[in-house]
mmCIF file of all heavy atoms in Angstrom:
data_model
loop_
_atom_site.group_PDB
_atom_site.id
_atom_site.type_symbol
_atom_site.label_atom_id
_atom_site.label_comp_id
_atom_site.label_asym_id
_atom_site.label_seq_id
_atom_site.Cartn_x
_atom_site.Cartn_y
_atom_site.Cartn_z
ATOM 1 N N ARG F 28 135.588 -0.211 -11.304
ATOM 2 C CA ARG F 28 134.763 0.570 -12.232
ATOM 3 C C ARG F 28 133.329 0.530 -11.745
ATOM 4 O O ARG F 28 132.957 -0.317 -10.922
ATOM 5 C CB ARG F 28 134.847 0.036 -13.660
ATOM 6 C CG ARG F 28 134.344 -1.394 -13.844
ATOM 7 C CD ARG F 28 134.460 -1.832 -15.300
ATOM 8 N NE ARG F 28 134.126 -3.227 -15.486
ATOM 9 C CZ ARG F 28 132.882 -3.691 -15.618
ATOM 10 N NH1 ARG F 28 131.858 -2.852 -15.564
ATOM 11 N NH2 ARG F 28 132.658 -4.978 -15.791
ATOM 12 N N VAL F 29 132.512 1.407 -12.255
ATOM 13 C CA VAL F 29 131.090 1.422 -11.923
ATOM 14 C C VAL F 29 130.399 0.275 -12.661
ATOM 15 O O VAL F 29 130.676 0.043 -13.852
ATOM 16 C CB VAL F 29 130.447 2.772 -12.317
ATOM 17 C CG1 VAL F 29 128.954 2.768 -12.018
ATOM 18 C CG2 VAL F 29 131.148 3.911 -11.589
ATOM 19 N N SER F 30 129.537 -0.460 -11.980
ATOM 20 C CA SER F 30 128.827 -1.564 -12.620
ATOM 21 C C SER F 30 128.006 -1.069 -13.802
ATOM 22 O O SER F 30 127.502 0.063 -13.803
ATOM 23 C CB SER F 30 127.908 -2.266 -11.619
ATOM 24 O OG SER F 30 128.653 -2.972 -10.664
ATOM 25 N N ALA F 31 127.871 -1.927 -14.801
ATOM 26 C CA ALA F 31 127.072 -1.648 -15.999
ATOM 27 C C ALA F 31 127.559 -0.410 -16.744
ATOM 28 O O ALA F 31 126.787 0.278 -17.409
ATOM 29 C CB ALA F 31 125.586 -1.513 -15.650
ATOM 30 N N SER F 32 128.856 -0.118 -16.639
ATOM 31 C CA SER F 32 129.416 1.048 -17.320
ATOM 32 C C SER F 32 130.084 0.679 -18.642
ATOM 33 O O SER F 32 130.657 1.530 -19.314
ATOM 34 C CB SER F 32 130.429 1.753 -16.416
ATOM 35 O OG SER F 32 131.494 0.881 -16.063
ATOM 36 N N ASN F 33 130.009 -0.594 -18.997
ATOM 37 C CA ASN F 33 130.627 -1.048 -20.237
ATOM 38 C C ASN F 33 129.653 -1.951 -20.990
ATOM 39 O O ASN F 33 129.998 -3.055 -21.414
ATOM 40 C CB ASN F 33 131.937 -1.788 -19.935
ATOM 41 C CG ASN F 33 132.753 -2.063 -21.171
ATOM 42 O OD1 ASN F 33 132.657 -1.343 -22.168
ATOM 43 N ND2 ASN F 33 133.553 -3.130 -21.126
ATOM 44 N N LEU F 34 128.430 -1.474 -21.174
ATOM 45 C CA LEU F 34 127.389 -2.281 -21.804
ATOM 46 C C LEU F 34 127.644 -2.424 -23.300
ATOM 47 O O LEU F 34 128.264 -1.569 -23.931
ATOM 48 C CB LEU F 34 126.016 -1.651 -21.560
ATOM 49 C CG LEU F 34 125.582 -1.544 -20.092
ATOM 50 C CD1 LEU F 34 124.236 -0.843 -19.982
ATOM 51 C CD2 LEU F 34 125.522 -2.921 -19.439
ATOM 52 N N SER F 35 127.145 -3.529 -23.851
ATOM 53 C CA SER F 35 127.373 -3.839 -25.253
ATOM 54 C C SER F 35 126.061 -4.213 -25.928
ATOM 55 O O SER F 35 125.155 -4.756 -25.290
ATOM 56 C CB SER F 35 128.366 -5.004 -25.369
ATOM 57 O OG SER F 35 128.412 -5.518 -26.681
ATOM 58 N N ASP F 36 125.975 -3.951 -27.227
ATOM 59 C CA ASP F 36 124.814 -4.350 -28.021
ATOM 60 C C ASP F 36 124.942 -5.777 -28.534
ATOM 61 O O ASP F 36 124.048 -6.268 -29.239
ATOM 62 C CB ASP F 36 124.635 -3.401 -29.217
ATOM 63 C CG ASP F 36 124.231 -2.003 -28.782
ATOM 64 O OD1 ASP F 36 123.575 -1.889 -27.727
ATOM 65 O OD2 ASP F 36 124.576 -1.038 -29.486
ATOM 66 N N ALA F 37 126.021 -6.440 -28.199
ATOM 67 C CA ALA F 37 126.238 -7.808 -28.668
ATOM 68 C C ALA F 37 125.155 -8.742 -28.134
ATOM 69 O O ALA F 37 124.519 -8.464 -27.107
ATOM 70 C CB ALA F 37 127.617 -8.294 -28.243
ATOM 71 N N ASN F 38 124.965 -9.862 -28.798
ATOM 72 C CA ASN F 38 123.964 -10.838 -28.364
ATOM 73 C C ASN F 38 124.396 -11.548 -27.090
ATOM 74 O O ASN F 38 123.587 -11.845 -26.220
ATOM 75 C CB ASN F 38 123.712 -11.859 -29.479
ATOM 76 C CG ASN F 38 122.621 -12.843 -29.113
ATOM 77 O OD1 ASN F 38 121.530 -12.445 -28.720
ATOM 78 N ND2 ASN F 38 122.914 -14.127 -29.225
ATOM 79 N N VAL F 39 125.693 -11.830 -26.978
ATOM 80 C CA VAL F 39 126.238 -12.476 -25.785
ATOM 81 C C VAL F 39 127.124 -11.474 -25.062
ATOM 82 O O VAL F 39 128.084 -10.957 -25.644
ATOM 83 C CB VAL F 39 127.033 -13.742 -26.141
ATOM 84 C CG1 VAL F 39 127.623 -14.369 -24.884
ATOM 85 C CG2 VAL F 39 126.140 -14.754 -26.864
ATOM 86 N N VAL F 40 126.787 -11.189 -23.812
ATOM 87 C CA VAL F 40 127.514 -10.184 -23.032
ATOM 88 C C VAL F 40 128.018 -10.800 -21.737
ATOM 89 O O VAL F 40 127.499 -11.817 -21.259
ATOM 90 C CB VAL F 40 126.629 -8.959 -22.728
ATOM 91 C CG1 VAL F 40 126.296 -8.210 -24.004
ATOM 92 C CG2 VAL F 40 125.329 -9.385 -22.024
ATOM 93 N N SER F 41 129.015 -10.186 -21.165
ATOM 94 C CA SER F 41 129.597 -10.712 -19.935
ATOM 95 C C SER F 41 129.659 -9.629 -18.870
ATOM 96 O O SER F 41 129.645 -8.433 -19.165
ATOM 97 C CB SER F 41 131.001 -11.270 -20.200
ATOM 98 O OG SER F 41 131.856 -10.253 -20.688
ATOM 99 N N GLY F 42 129.715 -10.070 -17.622
ATOM 100 C CA GLY F 42 129.803 -9.139 -16.504
ATOM 101 C C GLY F 42 130.335 -9.839 -15.276
ATOM 102 O O GLY F 42 130.405 -11.073 -15.226
ATOM 103 N N ARG F 43 130.678 -9.066 -14.264
ATOM 104 C CA ARG F 43 131.112 -9.653 -13.005
ATOM 105 C C ARG F 43 130.488 -8.891 -11.839
ATOM 106 O O ARG F 43 130.224 -7.691 -11.919
ATOM 107 C CB ARG F 43 132.630 -9.717 -12.886
ATOM 108 C CG ARG F 43 133.398 -8.454 -12.937
ATOM 109 C CD ARG F 43 134.928 -8.631 -12.799
ATOM 110 N NE ARG F 43 135.423 -9.979 -12.783
ATOM 111 C CZ ARG F 43 136.679 -10.306 -12.410
ATOM 112 N NH1 ARG F 43 137.539 -9.369 -12.018
ATOM 113 N NH2 ARG F 43 137.068 -11.554 -12.412
ATOM 114 N N GLY F 44 130.230 -9.640 -10.787
ATOM 115 C CA GLY F 44 129.582 -9.056 -9.620
ATOM 116 C C GLY F 44 130.218 -9.549 -8.339
ATOM 117 O O GLY F 44 130.856 -10.606 -8.305
ATOM 118 N N VAL F 45 130.005 -8.799 -7.266
ATOM 119 C CA VAL F 45 130.598 -9.118 -5.979
ATOM 120 C C VAL F 45 129.512 -9.161 -4.915
ATOM 121 O O VAL F 45 128.485 -8.486 -5.015
ATOM 122 C CB VAL F 45 131.687 -8.073 -5.610
ATOM 123 C CG1 VAL F 45 131.070 -6.681 -5.456
ATOM 124 C CG2 VAL F 45 132.438 -8.479 -4.345
ATOM 125 N N ALA F 46 129.730 -9.971 -3.904
ATOM 126 C CA ALA F 46 128.869 -10.001 -2.713
ATOM 127 C C ALA F 46 129.714 -10.516 -1.558
ATOM 128 O O ALA F 46 130.701 -11.227 -1.763
ATOM 129 C CB ALA F 46 127.647 -10.890 -2.928
ATOM 130 N N TRP F 47 129.317 -10.168 -0.351
ATOM 131 C CA TRP F 47 129.983 -10.723 0.818
ATOM 132 C C TRP F 47 128.970 -10.921 1.924
ATOM 133 O O TRP F 47 127.816 -10.488 1.812
ATOM 134 C CB TRP F 47 131.178 -9.878 1.262
ATOM 135 C CG TRP F 47 130.879 -8.479 1.764
ATOM 136 C CD1 TRP F 47 129.684 -7.834 1.766
ATOM 137 C CD2 TRP F 47 131.834 -7.562 2.317
ATOM 138 N NE1 TRP F 47 129.827 -6.560 2.283
ATOM 139 C CE2 TRP F 47 131.133 -6.372 2.630
ATOM 140 C CE3 TRP F 47 133.187 -7.622 2.574
ATOM 141 C CZ2 TRP F 47 131.754 -5.258 3.190
ATOM 142 C CZ3 TRP F 47 133.812 -6.508 3.135
ATOM 143 C CH2 TRP F 47 133.110 -5.350 3.441
ATOM 144 N N SER F 48 129.396 -11.601 2.995
ATOM 145 C CA SER F 48 128.419 -11.875 4.050
ATOM 146 C C SER F 48 129.086 -12.350 5.330
ATOM 147 O O SER F 48 130.103 -13.040 5.298
ATOM 148 C CB SER F 48 127.424 -12.951 3.587
ATOM 149 O OG SER F 48 126.452 -13.176 4.583
ATOM 150 N N ASN F 49 128.492 -11.963 6.445
ATOM 151 C CA ASN F 49 128.641 -12.671 7.713
ATOM 152 C C ASN F 49 127.261 -12.765 8.358
ATOM 153 O O ASN F 49 127.084 -12.629 9.558
ATOM 154 C CB ASN F 49 129.654 -11.994 8.644
ATOM 155 C CG ASN F 49 129.219 -10.615 9.106
ATOM 156 O OD1 ASN F 49 128.413 -9.956 8.453
ATOM 157 N ND2 ASN F 49 129.753 -10.167 10.219
ATOM 158 N N VAL F 50 126.261 -13.008 7.488
ATOM 159 C CA VAL F 50 124.866 -13.010 7.921
ATOM 160 C C VAL F 50 124.567 -14.160 8.871
ATOM 161 O O VAL F 50 123.824 -14.008 9.835
ATOM 162 C CB VAL F 50 123.929 -13.081 6.684
ATOM 163 C CG1 VAL F 50 122.505 -13.395 7.087
ATOM 164 C CG2 VAL F 50 123.977 -11.765 5.918
ATOM 165 N N HIS F 51 125.123 -15.332 8.595
ATOM 166 C CA HIS F 51 124.682 -16.519 9.341
ATOM 167 C C HIS F 51 125.556 -16.802 10.554
ATOM 168 O O HIS F 51 126.674 -17.266 10.444
ATOM 169 C CB HIS F 51 124.670 -17.736 8.421
ATOM 170 C CG HIS F 51 124.234 -19.000 9.103
ATOM 171 N ND1 HIS F 51 122.951 -19.169 9.571
ATOM 172 C CD2 HIS F 51 124.902 -20.124 9.422
ATOM 173 C CE1 HIS F 51 122.858 -20.365 10.136
ATOM 174 N NE2 HIS F 51 124.026 -20.956 10.058
ATOM 175 N N ARG F 52 125.053 -16.488 11.733
ATOM 176 C CA ARG F 52 125.656 -16.869 13.001
ATOM 177 C C ARG F 52 127.171 -16.667 13.034
ATOM 178 O O ARG F 52 127.943 -17.613 13.000
ATOM 179 C CB ARG F 52 125.328 -18.334 13.302
ATOM 180 C CG ARG F 52 123.841 -18.557 13.501
ATOM 181 C CD ARG F 52 123.513 -20.014 13.719
ATOM 182 N NE ARG F 52 122.069 -20.200 13.834
ATOM 183 C CZ ARG F 52 121.460 -21.376 13.859
ATOM 184 N NH1 ARG F 52 122.171 -22.479 13.793
ATOM 185 N NH2 ARG F 52 120.150 -21.472 13.966
ATOM 186 N N PRO F 53 127.612 -15.441 13.115
ATOM 187 C CA PRO F 53 129.051 -15.172 13.049
ATOM 188 C C PRO F 53 129.834 -15.763 14.204
ATOM 189 O O PRO F 53 131.050 -15.891 14.120
ATOM 190 C CB PRO F 53 129.112 -13.645 13.055
ATOM 191 C CG PRO F 53 127.856 -13.215 13.723
ATOM 192 C CD PRO F 53 126.818 -14.214 13.302
ATOM 193 N N GLU F 54 129.137 -16.123 15.293
ATOM 194 C CA GLU F 54 129.870 -16.728 16.400
ATOM 195 C C GLU F 54 130.320 -18.144 16.065
ATOM 196 O O GLU F 54 131.195 -18.697 16.732
ATOM 197 C CB GLU F 54 129.007 -16.728 17.669
ATOM 198 C CG GLU F 54 127.894 -17.770 17.718
ATOM 199 C CD GLU F 54 126.657 -17.363 16.945
ATOM 200 O OE1 GLU F 54 126.683 -16.317 16.280
ATOM 201 O OE2 GLU F 54 125.642 -18.086 17.016
ATOM 202 N N SER F 55 129.747 -18.751 15.031
ATOM 203 C CA SER F 55 130.138 -20.115 14.684
ATOM 204 C C SER F 55 130.406 -20.311 13.203
ATOM 205 O O SER F 55 130.723 -21.415 12.781
ATOM 206 C CB SER F 55 129.037 -21.098 15.115
ATOM 207 O OG SER F 55 127.801 -20.782 14.483
ATOM 208 N N CYS F 56 130.278 -19.259 12.410
ATOM 209 C CA CYS F 56 130.477 -19.364 10.968
ATOM 210 C C CYS F 56 131.445 -18.299 10.479
ATOM 211 O O CYS F 56 131.644 -17.277 11.131
ATOM 212 C CB CYS F 56 129.135 -19.228 10.235
ATOM 213 S SG CYS F 56 128.082 -20.683 10.405
ATOM 214 N N PRO F 57 132.030 -18.505 9.304
ATOM 215 C CA PRO F 57 133.094 -17.614 8.829
ATOM 216 C C PRO F 57 132.576 -16.392 8.094
ATOM 217 O O PRO F 57 131.390 -16.262 7.793
ATOM 218 C CB PRO F 57 133.866 -18.520 7.864
ATOM 219 C CG PRO F 57 132.796 -19.410 7.296
ATOM 220 C CD PRO F 57 131.834 -19.671 8.434
ATOM 221 N N GLN F 58 133.508 -15.500 7.780
ATOM 222 C CA GLN F 58 133.234 -14.364 6.905
ATOM 223 C C GLN F 58 133.543 -14.812 5.476
ATOM 224 O O GLN F 58 134.505 -15.544 5.245
ATOM 225 C CB GLN F 58 134.103 -13.163 7.265
ATOM 226 C CG GLN F 58 134.328 -12.946 8.750
ATOM 227 C CD GLN F 58 133.046 -12.900 9.546
ATOM 228 O OE1 GLN F 58 132.128 -12.187 9.203
ATOM 229 N NE2 GLN F 58 132.982 -13.683 10.614
ATOM 230 N N THR F 59 132.748 -14.362 4.510
ATOM 231 C CA THR F 59 132.932 -14.806 3.141
ATOM 232 C C THR F 59 132.778 -13.636 2.176
ATOM 233 O O THR F 59 132.064 -12.671 2.448
ATOM 234 C CB THR F 59 131.903 -15.886 2.755
ATOM 235 O OG1 THR F 59 130.600 -15.414 3.088
ATOM 236 C CG2 THR F 59 132.163 -17.187 3.473
ATOM 237 N N ALA F 60 133.429 -13.754 1.025
ATOM 238 C CA ALA F 60 133.264 -12.804 -0.067
ATOM 239 C C ALA F 60 133.408 -13.572 -1.373
ATOM 240 O O ALA F 60 134.184 -14.526 -1.457
ATOM 241 C CB ALA F 60 134.308 -11.692 0.007
ATOM 242 N N ALA F 61 132.648 -13.165 -2.392
ATOM 243 C CA ALA F 61 132.671 -13.886 -3.666
ATOM 244 C C ALA F 61 132.577 -12.916 -4.832
ATOM 245 O O ALA F 61 131.928 -11.860 -4.738
ATOM 246 C CB ALA F 61 131.528 -14.895 -3.738
ATOM 247 N N ILE F 62 133.214 -13.290 -5.926
ATOM 248 C CA ILE F 62 133.103 -12.585 -7.200
ATOM 249 C C ILE F 62 132.680 -13.597 -8.248
ATOM 250 O O ILE F 62 133.258 -14.692 -8.334
ATOM 251 C CB ILE F 62 134.437 -11.918 -7.594
ATOM 252 C CG1 ILE F 62 134.730 -10.737 -6.650
ATOM 253 C CG2 ILE F 62 134.411 -11.438 -9.045
ATOM 254 C CD1 ILE F 62 136.106 -10.136 -6.823
ATOM 255 N N ALA F 63 131.659 -13.253 -9.021
ATOM 256 C CA ALA F 63 131.146 -14.140 -10.058
ATOM 257 C C ALA F 63 131.330 -13.509 -11.427
ATOM 258 O O ALA F 63 131.039 -12.322 -11.613
ATOM 259 C CB ALA F 63 129.672 -14.448 -9.817
ATOM 260 N N ASP F 64 131.796 -14.303 -12.370
ATOM 261 C CA ASP F 64 131.883 -13.903 -13.772
ATOM 262 C C ASP F 64 130.806 -14.648 -14.547
ATOM 263 O O ASP F 64 130.759 -15.889 -14.498
ATOM 264 C CB ASP F 64 133.257 -14.244 -14.355
ATOM 265 C CG ASP F 64 134.366 -13.374 -13.798
ATOM 266 O OD1 ASP F 64 134.089 -12.215 -13.461
ATOM 267 O OD2 ASP F 64 135.504 -13.860 -13.688
ATOM 268 N N VAL F 65 129.935 -13.901 -15.235
ATOM 269 C CA VAL F 65 128.832 -14.533 -15.941
ATOM 270 C C VAL F 65 128.812 -14.129 -17.405
ATOM 271 O O VAL F 65 129.396 -13.122 -17.805
ATOM 272 C CB VAL F 65 127.463 -14.190 -15.298
ATOM 273 C CG1 VAL F 65 127.464 -14.461 -13.811
ATOM 274 C CG2 VAL F 65 127.071 -12.741 -15.596
ATOM 275 N N GLU F 66 128.097 -14.937 -18.160
ATOM 276 C CA GLU F 66 127.843 -14.669 -19.576
ATOM 277 C C GLU F 66 126.348 -14.773 -19.801
ATOM 278 O O GLU F 66 125.707 -15.723 -19.327
ATOM 279 C CB GLU F 66 128.594 -15.696 -20.419
ATOM 280 C CG GLU F 66 128.695 -15.371 -21.885
ATOM 281 C CD GLU F 66 129.583 -16.378 -22.596
ATOM 282 O OE1 GLU F 66 129.090 -17.470 -22.930
ATOM 283 O OE2 GLU F 66 130.783 -16.070 -22.798
ATOM 284 N N VAL F 67 125.762 -13.798 -20.490
ATOM 285 C CA VAL F 67 124.318 -13.763 -20.720
ATOM 286 C C VAL F 67 124.058 -13.767 -22.226
ATOM 287 O O VAL F 67 124.574 -12.915 -22.950
ATOM 288 C CB VAL F 67 123.674 -12.512 -20.092
ATOM 289 C CG1 VAL F 67 122.162 -12.519 -20.328
ATOM 290 C CG2 VAL F 67 123.985 -12.434 -18.601
ATOM 291 N N ASN F 68 123.265 -14.738 -22.669
ATOM 292 C CA ASN F 68 122.814 -14.774 -24.051
ATOM 293 C C ASN F 68 121.466 -14.072 -24.111
ATOM 294 O O ASN F 68 120.468 -14.605 -23.631
ATOM 295 C CB ASN F 68 122.708 -16.222 -24.548
ATOM 296 C CG ASN F 68 122.421 -16.313 -26.030
ATOM 297 O OD1 ASN F 68 121.539 -15.635 -26.553
ATOM 298 N ND2 ASN F 68 123.156 -17.174 -26.723
ATOM 299 N N LYS F 69 121.428 -12.885 -24.675
ATOM 300 C CA LYS F 69 120.194 -12.097 -24.674
ATOM 301 C C LYS F 69 119.088 -12.763 -25.489
ATOM 302 O O LYS F 69 117.897 -12.617 -25.175
ATOM 303 C CB LYS F 69 120.460 -10.704 -25.235
ATOM 304 C CG LYS F 69 121.425 -9.859 -24.415
ATOM 305 C CD LYS F 69 121.659 -8.519 -25.115
ATOM 306 C CE LYS F 69 122.684 -7.681 -24.410
ATOM 307 N NZ LYS F 69 122.947 -6.413 -25.132
ATOM 308 N N LYS F 70 119.461 -13.488 -26.527
ATOM 309 C CA LYS F 70 118.463 -14.107 -27.391
ATOM 310 C C LYS F 70 117.786 -15.293 -26.715
ATOM 311 O O LYS F 70 116.565 -15.424 -26.740
ATOM 312 C CB LYS F 70 119.114 -14.561 -28.695
ATOM 313 C CG LYS F 70 118.138 -15.159 -29.701
ATOM 314 C CD LYS F 70 118.833 -15.503 -31.003
ATOM 315 C CE LYS F 70 117.845 -16.097 -32.012
ATOM 316 N NZ LYS F 70 118.513 -16.431 -33.303
ATOM 317 N N THR F 71 118.573 -16.153 -26.086
ATOM 318 C CA THR F 71 118.010 -17.346 -25.450
ATOM 319 C C THR F 71 117.631 -17.117 -23.998
ATOM 320 O O THR F 71 116.836 -17.875 -23.431
ATOM 321 C CB THR F 71 119.015 -18.509 -25.509
ATOM 322 O OG1 THR F 71 120.165 -18.178 -24.705
ATOM 323 C CG2 THR F 71 119.442 -18.784 -26.938
ATOM 324 N N GLY F 72 118.214 -16.107 -23.364
ATOM 325 C CA GLY F 72 117.975 -15.862 -21.947
ATOM 326 C C GLY F 72 118.815 -16.723 -21.032
ATOM 327 O O GLY F 72 118.650 -16.674 -19.808
ATOM 328 N N LYS F 73 119.715 -17.502 -21.581
ATOM 329 C CA LYS F 73 120.532 -18.387 -20.759
ATOM 330 C C LYS F 73 121.643 -17.612 -20.068
ATOM 331 O O LYS F 73 122.380 -16.853 -20.706
ATOM 332 C CB LYS F 73 121.135 -19.508 -21.608
ATOM 333 C CG LYS F 73 121.990 -20.503 -20.816
ATOM 334 C CD LYS F 73 122.507 -21.614 -21.700
ATOM 335 C CE LYS F 73 123.465 -22.552 -20.959
ATOM 336 N NZ LYS F 73 122.820 -23.227 -19.816
ATOM 337 N N VAL F 74 121.766 -17.831 -18.769
ATOM 338 C CA VAL F 74 122.854 -17.255 -17.979
ATOM 339 C C VAL F 74 123.850 -18.368 -17.677
ATOM 340 O O VAL F 74 123.483 -19.412 -17.138
ATOM 341 C CB VAL F 74 122.334 -16.638 -16.665
ATOM 342 C CG1 VAL F 74 123.491 -16.055 -15.858
ATOM 343 C CG2 VAL F 74 121.283 -15.574 -16.943
ATOM 344 N N THR F 75 125.085 -18.147 -18.023
ATOM 345 C CA THR F 75 126.143 -19.122 -17.745
ATOM 346 C C THR F 75 127.145 -18.496 -16.782
ATOM 347 O O THR F 75 127.681 -17.424 -17.054
ATOM 348 C CB THR F 75 126.868 -19.529 -19.039
ATOM 349 O OG1 THR F 75 125.924 -20.058 -19.971
ATOM 350 C CG2 THR F 75 127.928 -20.582 -18.751
#
């Protein structure tokens, strides 16, 4: 789905993001990819 396409007015919202990399010296380091699931409390500003 397109990011930020399911926004909510709730105080606590959740989302997921992706990133990947072979930035650091690919001749000696691996390829990596990650997905993160987060929760954001809009009132407190805390990201979990």
Side-chain angles (χ1 to χ4, degrees):
R28 62 180 174 83
V29 178
S30 290
S32 60
N33 191 26
L34 298 177
S35 168
D36 292 331
N38 184 52
V39 178
V40 293
S41 60
R43 60 180 6 193
V45 63
W47 65 354
S48 182
N49 65 337
V50 167
H51 180 66
R52 296 177 183 171
E54 76 279 5
S55 59
C56 287
Q58 322 307 310
T59 51
I62 290 172
D64 290 329
V65 308
E66 194 174 81
V67 181
N68 188 313
K69 296 177 184 177
K70 183 176 180 180
T71 66
K73 181 178 175 61
V74 180
T75 303

